[in-house]
Amino acid sequence: MAGPCAIESEEQALTIARIVKRHGAQVFRGGAFKPRTSPYSFQGLGEDGLRILKKVREETGLLIVTEATDHTNIELVEEYADIIQVGARNMQNYSLLRRAGRSAKPILLKRGFAATIEELLMSAEYIMAEGNTRVILCERGIRTFADNTRNTLDLSAIPSIKEVSHLPVVVDPSHAAGRREYVIPLSRGAIAVGADGILVEVHHDPLHALSDGRQSLYAEQFATLMKEIKFLAR
Ligand SMILES: [Mn+2]
């Protein structure tokens, strides 16, 4: 799963979608509703962003994963997305989880940066208890004292989850690392410990990205990443 942090324009989304499709991505990621640390940061294009994502699917055939940030926009997101993302900051937003549990779409549930595996699995139960059993878990880094990375990628979460749950687990090394230099090695690690997939940020012009440019891969890096993890996955 690959794409920009945020949908910025139709041209930006289609350019990146063509790149990630060419190198073997199956799912296009991109935020239309962006929960940002600062209220003054770019908040996303909203429904216009969702309409752009629909065009991406029509043109490239890629499936779409995008975030619903609360119970007021999940209905709209559900109309456009193939997979609905519940973000790390919302992992314990129980009204959103219950609503996601009544959706016909699969849910990508991200681990909160201060949540245990048990808490992540209980949040998945909130969704499944409402009838939607198609839940994909996502490890995206937890907050520790380490300051060499944005968060600390907890690769031990993957075998730990696999021990007790049948749910697929994907790893997001981009938000864990916060720096594109670490995304390829961490992705290799994720596949090696048994992740079912990875979710990465890619941008054709990361220096001018409206969000998370520092951790977004250049097109050539994404090509390298795909070559390396395909080999490892085999
Ligand atoms: Mn991001």
Side-chain angles (χ1 to χ4, degrees):
M1 304 177 179
C5 182
I7 300 303
E8 299 167 13
S9 69
E10 187 175 321
E11 195 196 342
Q12 174 249 18
L14 282 170
T15 302
I16 299 168
R18 289 179 195 123
I19 291 168
V20 301
K21 167 86 179 181
R22 189 182 322 132
H23 298 297
Q26 310 278 314
V27 181
F28 184 72
R29 62 144 295 144
F33 294 100
K34 297 299 303 174
R36 302 298 301 282
T37 302
S38 163
Y40 310 114
S41 299
F42 176 60
Q43 303 286 310
L45 297 180
E47 191 168 5
D48 288 341
L50 295 175
R51 279 190 280 265
I52 292 171
L53 286 168
K54 189 177 169 201
K55 277 198 181 150
V56 166
R57 186 203 295 110
E58 285 165 1
E59 191 190 302
T60 64
L62 289 165
L63 296 174
I64 302 298
V65 59
T66 193
E67 179 167 358
T69 50
D70 58 49
H71 64 278
T72 63
N73 59 32
I74 185 167
E75 197 166 327
L76 193 59
V77 169
E78 184 166 60
E79 268 180 56
Y80 292 89
D82 296 296
I83 304 170
I84 302 167
Q85 176 177 318
V86 173
R89 291 169 182 80
N90 267 324
M91 193 202 84
Q92 289 179 316
N93 178 341
Y94 297 118
S95 60
L96 181 62
L97 294 176
R98 285 192 191 281
R99 175 60 185 75
R102 295 190 293 273
S103 176
K105 299 284 172 75
I107 308 298
L108 177 77
L109 177 64
K110 296 189 100 177
R111 179 184 181 184
F113 55 64
T116 65
I117 303 293
E118 177 71 10
E119 287 161 345
L120 172 63
L121 292 171
M122 284 303 129
S123 290
E125 291 295 329
Y126 265 90
I127 299 169
M128 295 190 289
E130 297 292 320
N132 187 357
T133 55
R134 296 196 294 167
V135 179
I136 304 164
L137 303 173
C138 180
E139 160 60 34
R140 46 78 72 209
I142 52 175
R143 185 159 288 180
T144 69
F145 55 82
D147 60 1
N148 57 316
T149 50
R150 182 174 170 180
N151 294 280
T152 297
L153 184 62
D154 180 12
L155 285 183
S156 72
I158 294 95
S160 298
I161 293 168
K162 294 283 179 184
E163 204 167 60
V164 295
S165 173
H166 67 288
L167 295 173
V169 187
V170 305
V171 169
D172 170 357
S174 304
H175 291 90
R179 298 181 56 183
R180 75 176 67 83
E181 293 84 344
Y182 301 161
V183 169
I184 295 178
L186 291 176
S187 299
R188 289 197 301 254
I191 296 299
V193 298
D196 298 289
I198 61 160
L199 173 70
V200 290
E201 289 186 337
V202 178
H203 201 289
H204 66 296
D205 182 13
L207 299 180
H208 296 102
L210 292 183
S211 68
D212 287 350
R214 188 67 190 84
Q215 66 199 30
S216 297
L217 295 176
Y218 286 98
E220 317 80 71
Q221 290 178 306
F222 182 66
T224 303
L225 164 71
M226 289 301 280
K227 214 160 42 181
E228 294 189 0
I229 63 169
K230 265 184 198 158
F231 173 77
L232 272 173
R234 266 202 304 275

